[in-house]
Structure formats: C-alpha cells, structure tokens
Amino acid sequence: MIKLIKKYTNFLVLFWSTSLSIELEYRLNLIVDIFTLVGNLFGSLLVLSLFYTNHHTLGGWSWSAALVVLGLFTTLEGFTSSILQPNLSKIVRYVQLGTLDYVLLKPISSQYWLSFRYFSPWGIPSIIVGFLISIYGVISTSNQFNTISIICSIIMIISSLITLYSIWFILATTSIWFVKVWNVNEVLKSILIAGRFPISSYPNIVRTIFTFIIPIAFLTTIPAEALLGRLDVYWFLFSLIISATLLFTSIRFWLYALNFYTSASS
Amino acid sequence: MSNITVSSLSKIYKVPYRKPGISASIKHFFDRKYKLITAVDDISFKIDEGEIVGFIGANGAGKTTTLKMLCGLVYPTKGIVSVSGFIPKERNAAFLSQITLVMGQKQQLIWDLPPIETLKVNAAVYGISEKEAKKRIDELASMLELNDELFQPVRKLSLGQRMKSELLASLIHRPSVLFLDEPTLGLDVNAQLRVREFLSMYNKRFNATILLTSHYMQDISSLCKRVVVIHKGRIFYDGALTKLTNKLSPYRNVRIEFDKPQTLDDLKEYCEITQIDYAIATIVVPSSKLSFVVSYLLNNYTIKDLQVIETPLENIISELIRNGTN
C-alpha cells in the first residue's frame, strides 16, 4: 500500500512538473495570466471589504462567521481552477478526439490520470487567500482554535474537496455517452457559487435541496462550522458518508461507463 | 505458439440515425431511433509470436474496431479474444505493459513540450527506472534516426519526425505485441520507408508480434508475409500474400526494349503479345511460365531493358473484395 502511494505521488510530481513546463512555454500568456490573477484577487478582496463594513447577520451567521464560509468557498474555487477545471474539462475532448485510448492503454488507474494529469498554478493564490480569510474569520469571532477543532476542520475540508471532485467527475463521465457535456461544467460552476454564503441564509426549500440533493452544504458551510468549533457530530459523520459514497460512486460509475466506450473512429 | 487468438469475434454498435431536415431533427431530439451496425461479424484468426500480419480492407471494413477489441479498448459483443494469454477487456496492468497501439491519425505526445517530456512520463508510468529509460530512448532513437528532435517542442516537428517520436513513446516499455493502425498515414515516401525499416528491425530484435493496418500497400508488401483481408466485418482471406497475388493475379505484364524491332512470333504459344511499338513490346505471361519466358528472351534476343510489372496490390485487394461481394 505504501509502495502504491509512493508510486502515485511520484506520478503526481512528474505530471505537475510537465504541466508547469507547458505554462512556462508561452511567456506572453504567462504574463497575461499573472495580470488576470492579480486583478481577480483584488476584485474579490474589494467585494469582501464591502461585506465586512456591514455588520449584519446572514442566516443567523455573524459576518465574521460568514467570512469563514466565504474563505472556504475561495479555497474551493482555487482547487477547481488548479485541478478540476484543467483535468476534468479535458475528458470531453479526449472522448471527442478518441485520445482517451492512450489513457486507457496505460498501466495506471485511468481515473487517476484523468483527474490529476494537469495542474494549473493559477488557483494557488485563491487557495492561500481563501485559507487566510477563513482563519481571519475564525479569529474575528473570538473563537479559540483547539486540536480537536483543527483536526475536525482538516477532515471536513478534505471531505468537501472529495465531494466536489466526485460530483464533477461523475458529470464528466457522462461524456462517454453524450460526448458533448461542456454545459454541465458551466451549470455546476454556477451552482457552486451558492456555496459562497452559509446554507442557512437560503429559504427552507433551497436549503433542503442544497443539503440533500446537491450537497452544497457539505462543501463550505459544514467545514466552516467545524472551523468555528460548533459542528454537530452527526453532521460530521454525515459529511464523511456523503463524500465516501460519492467517491465510491464516481469510481464505479467510471468503470461502468467504460463498458460503453466506443472510441472515436479512425 | 499463438500469441493472439481471436475466435468468433463480433462487435455490434448501436448508432443513432435520423432523416434529414429540421422537423426530423426535432423529432429525433425527443424520440431517438437507433440502428444496429455490425462492425465485426464473427471473425476468427490466430497470430504466432514474432509474426507480422497485414490487416487490410476498405474504410469502415472493421479493421480499427478489431484492433481496439484486441487492445481491450472496445468490449466485444460476442466471441473470445486472447492476447499473450490475457483477456484484453480486463485491461490487466501486466497485459497493458506488453502491448502498444500506434494510431497514425492520433497522437499522445504533449503538443507544447519536446517529445522527451512525454517519454519521461511514459517511462515512469511503465515503471522504468531513469537509467533504463535513458538506455532505451538512446537505443530506439538511434534505430529511428532521431537526435535533436527529441528536445524540440512537438509543434515544431515535421509530420515524419512526430510519427517517429510517437513510435518511440509507444515502444519505450518494449512491448511484445504491436497494434499499428496506419502508422505511415500522411508521411512522405522517405519517412514511410524509415518507419517500415524501423518496424522490421524492431520485430527482428525483440521478436515482437505485429498486426498492421495500412492503406499503403507498400507497407504491407514489404513487411508482411501474411495478410488478413476484412470486408464488411467479415474475413475474406487469411493467408500468404504471395498466394493471394498468384491466385488473383495469375498473369504478369512484361515490358521489353530490344535493340531493333521484333515480331516475337516464336513466343506466341507461351504468352499474349499486347503491344509492339517499334523496338518496345509489352507481353502478358502466365505467372507459371514467367521464368521460362524471361530466360528465353534473354538468351535469344539482344535486350536493352526488361521490366516485369507486378499488378498493384490495391488492384488485387479490390478484385478480391469485388469477387467476394458478388
């Protein structure tokens, strides 16, 4: 098992170093990307400062506590830009061009290859800034960090990343049948924006949908509650069950979909 | 010993179809109609270890589908396939480490980076140490006559250099079974020749089993002693290439240039004289009498030039398919 983890970690280092080499190949593009990134971050912080100057509550959450949710949302956005977007959006193209053949012929988990082959550095600042905002939010609520809340928070954040990844991968898998599923990515991104605010700030019906149908609550609100040290043990376990179930489903669904892969014609 | 065994293999695809026009499109959107297309229809063959077999047929004959079933990419509807003792559709890691698929019209090289970067990734994926990978890259690169090209971005390489780099990337794990789907597609004559020479060398050096599809008959005739002809998913012919040419092309055209005009009356009982134009004659000789007629000509006439014109393989194959269809 340790050997396997080591092997797949080595792959990751190699995969991501070639991805960075690709980014470095186009110098002008790199400069433009840096400008875009700085602009985006500046814009987000401006919006945040506007929020912060209004000391209201949102769905029972103080603004400081809501900042934790916003911070986690920013981190997830960074994760999406760095890993999900560059990899999972390519699945559609692999299926369309038939180059998925090359992935399937390698003696490596095809799901792993398709999920982690590429890495874009442009999500890293969002990940870091998101974390800083969350920590700032926690400190502002005068909450004390303790070991248990830190461990629970880390577990919940990992759980939320797995949940987000699994939903994305399941949707990308449908391209085996439908080939063109670009729109699905866009719809998913729009829905995730709902994770920017605490789930209790939405009307009851939307809250139920975002908890039990599209598990938005498990992406930001639940990990935020863990960071604030007020997460119920049942929600903790429920979140773990949701992420494990979705991950398992994504693996089985991918293997099932491959039975229907016809490969693009020559 | 058979390395590849295919028994009663079939593949049926469910393909959506509709009539032309916008109303048909709307109807099709709500109520999809499907048609069952038999891409491969109950085929069986065996290929021995180290053998190079040409897999030929028209577009849509079922060649690529068969190759993909042999690689485990496409699941068969019916039948049994065994490659090096493995069932391809299980896609066992040990199986995948023994095979490769090269597709002339698709590429795995990372477009923006030099081929060496793809080679490094592939070497790691196949569990080849850096030292061993370097040794193999050097060996294959010298066989393929690749040098600095490995360090230039793929997008800057010519089609021929790209194909050679593709071959290197596909063979770094030293597979014993090669599935080649039109590996010389679009290459110029020189590059085609290089690829053919390389494949022949690789086959000899590693005793690799090769199944090759190509529309360039020169690839087939120079590499394969045996061919399998497929048409509309069914096998039409499986056997020696020479037997096929002799069977379907029992005559040879011979063009002779004499030192002076000749009537060739003495040859009329052995061949048909189709044209005499001053000192140049064209005759049609049965394959069985070819050697006799040629030596007779050389012994009894002063000859400036003599050419035996083979029937192009393309013509032979289309003749075979036409006969079969009828």
Side-chain angles (χ1 to χ4, degrees):
Chain A
M1 187 67 186
I2 291 169
K3 214 176 150 190
L4 196 71
I5 292 170
K6 204 178 151 205
K7 188 172 125 182
Y8 275 77
T9 312
N10 286 342
F11 287 159
L12 207 62
V13 172
L14 193 62
F15 285 174
W16 290 5
S17 63
T18 57
S19 292
L20 292 176
S21 305
I22 294 172
E23 295 283 347
L24 292 170
E25 199 53 35
Y26 297 100
R27 282 184 289 186
L28 182 65
N29 191 50
L30 188 83
I31 293 164
V32 173
D33 276 341
I34 291 172
F35 273 117
T36 317
L37 179 79
V38 171
N40 277 345
L41 267 184
F42 185 72
S44 305
L45 290 172
L46 189 74
V47 173
L48 202 74
S49 66
L50 291 177
F51 274 130
Y52 193 66
T53 48
N54 292 315
H55 288 267
H56 300 297
T57 59
L58 189 66
W61 288 57
S62 69
W63 275 110
S64 302
L67 268 186
V68 181
V69 177
L70 191 66
L72 286 172
F73 170 77
T74 311
T75 301
L76 281 189
E77 261 193 335
F79 173 68
T80 305
S81 324
S82 273
I83 297 170
L84 298 186
Q85 191 73 24
N87 286 292
L88 303 184
S89 58
K90 283 199 179 69
I91 297 181
V92 178
R93 198 181 320 196
Y94 286 141
V95 174
Q96 256 184 334
L97 300 177
T99 40
L100 182 62
D101 294 356
Y102 287 121
V103 179
L104 298 176
L105 287 174
K106 301 264 186 303
I108 174 178
S109 154
S110 52
Q111 183 167 353
Y112 181 83
W113 176 291
L114 294 170
S115 307
F116 302 108
R117 175 66 185 84
Y118 294 97
F119 174 78
S120 162
W122 307 115
I124 297 175
S126 297
I127 294 173
I128 296 168
V129 171
F131 264 117
L132 292 178
I133 294 170
S134 300
I135 291 165
Y136 179 73
V138 175
I139 293 166
S140 304
T141 54
S142 336
N143 257 41
Q144 293 292 314
F145 281 112
N146 62 52
T147 321
I148 294 176
S149 79
I150 290 173
I151 292 171
C152 284
S153 307
I154 292 170
I155 294 173
M156 282 299 96
I157 290 167
I158 293 170
S159 172
S160 86
L161 293 177
I162 292 173
T163 302
L164 180 61
Y165 158 77
S166 304
I167 297 171
W168 213 302
F169 194 81
I170 289 168
L171 290 173
T173 300
T174 58
S175 61
I176 295 281
W177 290 278
F178 308 120
V179 186
K180 267 191 179 176
V181 290
W182 302 108
N183 298 341
V184 171
N185 278 331
E186 294 307 316
V187 170
L188 191 66
K189 263 165 53 187
S190 317
I191 293 172
L192 288 181
I193 291 175
R196 194 191 282 262
F197 305 108
I199 216 74
S200 57
S201 57
Y202 293 100
N204 264 339
I205 177 80
V206 179
R207 204 182 306 169
T208 313
I209 290 171
F210 283 170
T211 308
F212 298 104
I213 298 174
I214 311 161
I216 303 286
F218 299 96
L219 299 180
T220 49
T221 307
I222 304 279
E225 301 236 38
L227 268 171
L228 293 165
R230 59 191 199 200
L231 182 66
D232 200 301
V233 69
Y234 296 110
W235 283 107
F236 178 84
L237 292 175
F238 195 27
S239 176
L240 288 182
I241 291 168
I242 292 278
S243 60
T245 310
L246 282 169
L247 181 63
F248 179 76
T249 309
S250 79
I251 295 168
R252 299 305 310 172
F253 189 52
W254 173 246
L255 295 176
Y256 173 72
L258 287 182
N259 289 322
F260 298 89
Y261 177 59
T262 53
S263 181
S265 178
S266 58
Chain B
M1 199 187 98
S2 291
N3 202 13
I4 299 176
T5 309
V6 172
S7 171
S8 306
L9 184 68
S10 296
K11 178 68 193 179
I12 299 170
Y13 287 119
K14 198 173 152 193
V15 183
Y17 87 106
R18 65 171 183 87
K19 288 178 184 153
I22 184 72
S23 63
S25 292
I26 294 167
K27 208 174 151 197
H28 183 70
F29 185 82
F30 292 105
D31 181 21
R32 296 241 148 175
K33 293 266 187 293
Y34 292 92
K35 212 171 169 180
L36 295 177
I37 306 271
T38 306
V40 174
D41 189 6
D42 197 28
I43 64 168
S44 303
F45 60 86
K46 282 180 180 177
I47 299 176
D48 288 339
E49 206 176 322
E51 204 179 355
I52 307 185
V53 175
F55 198 43
I56 44 186
N59 287 331
K63 304 184 297 284
T64 304
T65 302
T66 308
L67 282 193
K68 288 185 175 170
M69 285 195 280
L70 292 175
C71 295
L73 286 171
V74 170
Y75 287 31
T77 309
K78 191 173 81 66
I80 298 163
V81 184
S82 162
V83 176
S84 301
F86 293 98
I87 298 169
K89 70 173 183 180
E90 290 175 357
R91 268 208 287 271
N92 187 301
F95 164 72
L96 295 175
S97 300
Q98 283 189 31
I99 66 151
T100 200
L101 171 69
V102 177
M103 296 178 275
Q105 64 284 68
K106 290 174 194 168
Q107 67 160 40
Q108 63 168 320
L109 297 172
I110 307 167
W111 185 249
D112 293 315
L113 298 179
I116 192 77
E117 299 287 348
T118 308
L119 298 178
K120 271 161 66 180
V121 171
N122 281 9
V125 166
Y126 285 103
I128 304 163
S129 70
E130 270 181 51
K131 198 177 154 201
E132 178 63 21
K134 194 184 171 307
K135 202 179 117 200
R136 290 188 191 187
I137 291 168
D138 289 346
E139 184 186 16
L140 291 169
S142 85
M143 282 166 81
L144 281 160
E145 296 174 11
L146 278 170
N147 301 304
D148 295 342
E149 294 88 344
L150 291 180
F151 301 93
Q152 290 163 11
V154 173
R155 61 174 192 278
K156 301 275 184 199
L157 300 180
S158 72
L159 188 61
Q161 291 165 335
R162 267 206 318 264
M163 192 61 226
K164 289 200 277 184
S165 309
E166 276 291 331
L167 275 169
L168 212 170
S170 305
L171 299 172
I172 192 164
H173 57 294
R174 216 171 266 169
S176 56
V177 181
L178 277 59
F179 298 109
L180 309 173
D181 193 10
E182 301 190 37
T184 54
L185 190 75
L187 302 187
D188 66 38
V189 180
N190 269 333
Q192 281 182 30
L193 189 68
R194 291 275 166 283
V195 169
R196 282 200 288 270
E197 283 172 354
F198 168 76
L199 292 173
S200 172
M201 245 192 292
Y202 186 91
N203 162 262
K204 288 193 184 88
R205 194 173 294 187
F206 302 111
N207 194 32
T209 309
I210 301 179
L211 185 58
L212 165 78
T213 83
S214 179
H215 286 295
Y216 300 119
M217 290 306 151
Q218 195 64 39
D219 290 350
I220 305 287
S221 54
S222 61
L223 284 170
C224 316
K225 286 197 176 84
R226 176 183 158 201
V227 290
V228 174
V229 183
I230 185 168
H231 181 61
K232 289 188 176 168
R234 296 190 76 93
I235 288 179
F236 261 48
Y237 177 83
D238 180 357
L241 183 61
T242 46
K243 215 170 130 191
L244 180 71
T245 35
N246 286 339
K247 190 174 146 196
L248 287 169
S249 178
Y251 297 94
R252 295 283 191 280
N253 289 302
V254 182
R255 184 184 172 278
I256 317 130
E257 193 179 338
F258 299 101
D259 61 334
K260 58 185 184 206
Q262 302 288 349
T263 56
L264 300 177
D265 290 336
D266 48 341
L267 274 173
K268 276 182 179 158
E269 62 176 295
Y270 305 112
C271 64
E272 187 192 331
I273 295 150
T274 50
Q275 199 186 1
I276 296 186
D277 183 8
Y278 191 62
I280 299 172
T282 312
I283 60 174
V284 178
V285 189
S287 301
S288 55
K289 296 207 172 86
L290 183 68
S291 53
F292 166 76
V293 170
V294 170
S295 59
Y296 182 87
L297 281 165
L298 292 171
N299 292 332
N300 297 288
Y301 293 91
T302 309
I303 287 169
K304 286 167 80 178
D305 187 33
L306 187 146
Q307 272 181 297
V308 178
I309 304 158
E310 296 275 341
T311 313
L313 193 54
E314 286 89 337
N315 297 6
I316 295 173
I317 301 300
S318 59
E319 170 79 1
L320 175 73
I321 289 169
R322 204 168 38 243
N323 286 347
T325 317
N326 295 335

